[in-house]
Amino acid sequence: MNEKAFTEVKRRELRRFHGAVDSVVEGLLLKKYEETRKADEYRDYARVCGLIKSNLHTLDLIADKTGPLFETTDERSNWEIYLSGLRHILRKTSDSYLFKFVLPMLGLDGVREKLSAYTVKCLDQLHASQKTMREVDGYVRNLSKGCAIGQEYRAQDNELPRLYASIKTWSSKDDLDHFLTGLAEFLDVSVEVFVVGPVQLYLMLGRDAFMMIFKALSVGKLSELRESDRHYEDTMRLHEFVNGLMANSTTVQVMQEVMKESVKEYTKRLRDEQERLRAQLPTKELKQRFAQRYESGILFRTREE
């Protein structure tokens, strides 16, 4: 894989995502301003939005470590190997010894049910990830090839490799639409699993479930599970404090809203850019001719002349 091509994709998509976040936050701030004339309330809301925007830049650090995902091991991309391993574990979870015997034995049947539901969401996310990553992988490899050809002929036009990669990856508008629909699904379910889901799971478990979890983590034998709960009162007070913070947290609520709307805006912006690029080659014949001329180098010689 061409490192320059991957770095270009990474930086461009991060800029697009943060631009989408900025746009969504501006819209939310305008809406808040129109809804309230209380200066303190608006300042607090703006502070929360600023905190969320700042925290989302941690995605840049994560993205810097994703290069090895597209490297190949045993004729498979690493991302495919990792997803396969996770999918195997999650599919077995509901029939595992932990779920079938340990949790019921500890009186945590409610926890088992909620974790099972969350596992199903995680499997949906992995399925959407596989479909999306397969096409992203193809696009990155086509862009790498396009950049290599452009470098060979010392081409200066940065849009040409992107146009080449786009039509090689998605030969028709239907192919592109299918990818963008799948991407929207992947991003939406990812927000559900990684942003919304953990908070909902925590709030849904309830006081009794956490009492049993704390007991299970501290008792030495099963008979102690039925002993008085008075020793756990301090711990439960901490849990109730945290639970209240999460349930009434403006930051959590705004984060969820920002993420949901930002992935929609991001997908829209990506679609707009792809349609603008591909509009230069409106017919199937023009797309095929462009790819042939690009790969043979005729396109670059013609442009130089």
Side-chain angles (χ1 to χ4, degrees):
M1 180 181 65
N2 186 301
E3 185 65 27
K4 181 180 178 181
F6 174 76
T7 301
E8 179 189 335
V9 171
K10 177 182 67 179
R11 289 176 178 172
R12 185 170 63 249
E13 298 312 315
L14 284 172
R15 285 197 303 269
R16 196 191 317 279
F17 174 74
H18 289 305
V21 171
D22 290 344
S23 177
V24 167
V25 168
E26 287 175 9
L28 291 176
L29 288 173
L30 178 59
K31 180 181 177 182
K32 189 66 176 179
Y33 179 79
E34 293 173 345
E35 289 176 349
T36 180
R37 296 300 177 181
K38 298 178 181 178
D40 290 344
E41 184 178 339
Y42 179 79
R43 279 197 294 268
D44 288 343
Y45 190 84
R47 179 182 56 79
V48 168
C49 288
L51 176 64
I52 290 169
K53 285 174 58 176
S54 177
N55 287 341
L56 285 175
H57 278 280
T58 57
L59 292 174
D60 299 13
L61 301 177
I62 296 173
D64 286 340
K65 306 297 182 182
T66 57
L69 290 176
F70 296 93
E71 295 175 359
T72 301
T73 303
D74 298 329
E75 300 183 352
R76 287 194 299 167
S77 295
N78 286 335
W79 63 262
E80 188 174 4
I81 295 172
Y82 302 154
L83 290 181
S84 177
L86 288 172
R87 188 166 53 249
H88 173 75
I89 292 174
L90 289 174
R91 282 177 175 170
K92 298 286 188 180
T93 298
S94 60
D95 294 322
S96 67
Y97 185 81
L98 173 67
F99 270 46
K100 279 191 168 183
F101 301 103
V102 176
L103 293 179
M105 180 175 60
L106 296 175
L108 295 173
D109 294 277
V111 173
R112 180 183 61 177
E113 292 173 3
K114 292 176 176 64
L115 285 176
S116 294
Y118 184 65
T119 298
V120 171
K121 286 186 179 181
C122 291
L123 282 170
D124 290 341
Q125 196 277 336
L126 289 179
H127 179 65
S129 295
Q130 186 169 30
K131 291 194 299 182
T132 300
M133 289 294 290
R134 185 179 296 116
E135 298 204 44
V136 170
D137 195 328
Y139 175 82
V140 171
R141 295 185 189 284
N142 284 324
L143 182 62
S144 295
K145 180 179 178 181
C147 287
I149 294 173
Q151 289 171 3
E152 181 181 350
Y153 293 97
R154 299 180 182 178
Q156 301 299 315
D157 192 332
N158 291 327
E159 284 202 346
L160 282 178
R162 288 159 55 196
L163 177 57
Y164 170 78
S166 180
I167 64 172
K168 289 292 286 186
T169 309
W170 308 291
S171 60
S172 68
K173 184 179 183 302
D174 286 345
D175 291 338
L176 178 62
D177 287 342
H178 181 75
F179 165 69
L180 291 171
T181 299
L183 176 65
E185 176 190 348
F186 160 69
L187 293 174
D188 188 57
V189 74
S190 295
V191 170
E192 191 69 24
V193 168
F194 298 117
V195 180
V196 179
V199 176
Q200 289 181 338
L201 182 63
Y202 175 75
L203 295 176
M204 287 169 59
L205 288 180
R207 191 181 195 280
D208 292 342
F210 272 98
M211 175 64 78
M212 291 305 299
I213 290 172
F214 293 145
K215 281 188 173 185
L217 290 172
S218 57
V219 300
K221 50 188 177 181
L222 284 176
S223 61
E224 294 178 358
L225 285 172
R226 291 182 286 275
E227 293 182 358
S228 173
D229 297 338
R230 60 185 178 83
H231 300 296
Y232 298 92
E233 288 179 1
D234 292 345
T235 307
M236 289 308 299
R237 287 183 181 181
L238 173 61
H239 157 67
E240 288 161 5
F241 172 71
V242 174
N243 188 278
L245 289 178
M246 297 290 284
N248 303 308
S249 172
T250 300
T251 301
V252 171
Q253 294 170 5
V254 176
M255 167 65 90
Q256 293 175 357
E257 188 172 5
V258 167
M259 289 301 297
K260 285 184 176 180
E261 294 302 316
S262 293
V263 297
K264 293 178 184 177
E265 178 65 18
Y266 169 82
T267 306
K268 176 183 177 299
R269 293 185 177 206
L270 179 59
R271 179 185 293 276
D272 290 344
E273 180 186 89
Q274 286 295 323
E275 290 179 347
R276 178 187 63 79
L277 273 175
R278 296 164 69 93
Q280 301 173 67
L281 305 168
T283 68
K284 181 178 180 180
E285 290 73 19
L286 285 174
K287 289 182 177 65
Q288 291 176 340
R289 192 184 310 164
F290 169 82
Q292 292 168 355
R293 289 164 61 84
Y294 191 101
E295 292 170 349
S296 67
I298 294 175
L299 177 70
F300 301 104
R301 291 196 290 271
T302 301
R303 289 169 70 87
E304 288 176 358
E305 292 168 1

